[in-house]
Amino acid sequence: MSRALPKYNKRRVALIGGAAAVVLSGAVIAGSALAGTPGSTQSGSTNAKTLAAGPGTIACPDVASQLPDVPASAQAEVDRNLTLLQTQLDEANKRLVDTVGQGGPNFVQNAILGPLEDKRIATVNRIATAIGRTAEKPQGLDALAPCALNADGAAGAGEEAGAGGEAGAGQEAGADAGAGAEAGGGEAAATPSETALQEGGAETGGGAAAAGAVNCPDVASQLPAIPASAQAEVDRNLALLDTQIQEADKRLVDTVGQGGPNFVQNAILGPLADKRKSTIDRIALSIGRTAEKPQGLDSLAACTVNQ
């Protein structure tokens, strides 16, 4: 009896010790899991930041700092267009994130930076025109239109650039595009459809035949009688509509074979429709200042590609 009791006690001690070891191991495992949670979260956060920074950011030269004194009569219009410049940049950065992995090596330039530059040229020109109505019109603002992609997500070389800074790649192209946009101030241009066919066939030859040509509804024929006070502005915007089609046709040829099945719609026709809508709205507003504002012209903004 005295020998059996110690053996029982030993067995009991062993069982208790084993249970304690299991509990201790569980506590260690739980502690490790809890301790690892912040690390995992931090790692996930780091990965998320890396993905977010992956597409990079678009940096554009600062326009506001390059303007001369703005007359009080032009201040509201200038402020609206400066706000629009920021909106355009925000939309381009969003599109940059939304289209990660799409298209070929030139997708960002053709689908995002190119259309953004076109919009900025039109907006910067409106700022210069607003100032020029009652003061000396500022020159050279077109050089601030091109933007650059900073793949590292940091401030780009062109961001907040001063007057003597480089505007970035495409500066000459931006200036040429701006010159074309202001051309044709007093004379009616060829219809957009005619311009599309001329641009696609005469100038680009076989490449245009392979790419097709952009075909847009004719706006001039849908306008009511234009007041004399609005004629010059209407003519300028009709000429700009033609310029926009020419640029889209050129982009259509330059990007043959790039991107997926929706490339033309997303990179060319979509941005073209946005620009046409803004231009058509300006035509309607200019007529509406002294006559009845035409309605429904927005339906003429969308274009197609003729193969």
Side-chain angles (χ1 to χ4, degrees):
M1 186 72 178
S2 61
R3 291 178 183 176
L5 186 57
K7 189 181 294 185
Y8 172 77
N9 288 337
K10 288 179 181 179
R11 189 181 301 117
R12 185 178 177 186
V13 170
L15 289 172
I16 294 172
V22 171
V23 172
L24 181 59
S25 299
V28 171
I29 293 172
S32 299
L34 291 174
T37 301
S40 301
T41 303
Q42 185 175 1
S43 175
S45 175
T46 301
N47 290 337
K49 289 178 181 177
T50 301
L51 289 174
T57 54
I58 296 172
C60 301
D62 180 43
V63 174
S65 63
Q66 306 305 312
L67 297 179
D69 291 337
V70 179
S73 59
Q75 189 67 58
E77 186 173 355
V78 169
D79 288 343
R80 279 196 303 272
N81 282 289
L82 288 174
T83 300
L84 180 57
L85 287 173
Q86 184 59 49
T87 300
Q88 292 164 351
L89 178 58
D90 293 342
E91 291 172 348
N93 271 310
K94 182 177 184 301
R95 182 174 241 177
L96 191 67
V97 174
D98 292 345
T99 58
V100 170
Q102 293 186 20
N106 297 320
F107 177 83
V108 171
Q109 177 61 44
N110 294 328
I112 301 177
L113 293 181
L116 175 60
E117 179 180 338
D118 293 340
K119 292 178 186 177
R120 283 175 60 86
I121 287 173
T123 307
V124 168
N125 283 338
R126 288 198 297 274
I127 291 174
T129 299
I131 295 173
R133 289 193 186 104
T134 53
E136 184 178 356
K137 182 178 178 181
Q139 303 296 321
L141 293 182
D142 283 347
L144 305 175
C147 301
L149 175 65
N150 175 17
D152 296 327
E159 188 174 15
E160 303 295 326
E166 294 287 336
Q171 181 171 341
E172 293 180 5
D176 291 341
E182 291 187 280
E187 50 184 297
T191 65
S193 299
E194 292 171 349
T195 303
L197 294 175
Q198 292 169 2
E199 186 71 10
E203 292 188 14
T204 54
V214 175
N215 183 36
C216 301
D218 180 37
V219 175
S221 63
Q222 305 302 313
L223 298 179
I226 301 172
S229 59
Q231 189 67 59
E233 186 172 357
V234 169
D235 286 344
R236 279 196 301 271
N237 282 291
L238 288 174
L240 179 57
L241 287 173
D242 288 339
T243 300
Q244 292 164 353
I245 294 176
Q246 293 167 15
E247 292 169 350
D249 266 321
K250 183 178 185 301
R251 187 168 285 139
L252 194 65
V253 174
D254 292 344
T255 59
V256 169
Q258 292 186 19
N262 297 321
F263 177 83
V264 172
Q265 179 59 46
N266 295 332
I268 300 176
L269 293 182
L272 175 60
D274 293 339
K275 288 187 283 188
R276 281 176 59 85
K277 184 178 183 301
S278 297
T279 307
I280 290 171
D281 285 345
R282 290 197 297 275
I283 291 174
L285 287 172
S286 63
I287 295 174
R289 290 192 185 102
T290 53
E292 183 178 358
K293 180 181 176 182
Q295 303 296 322
L297 294 181
D298 284 348
S299 63
L300 305 175
C303 303
T304 58
V305 172
N306 291 336
Q307 295 297 335

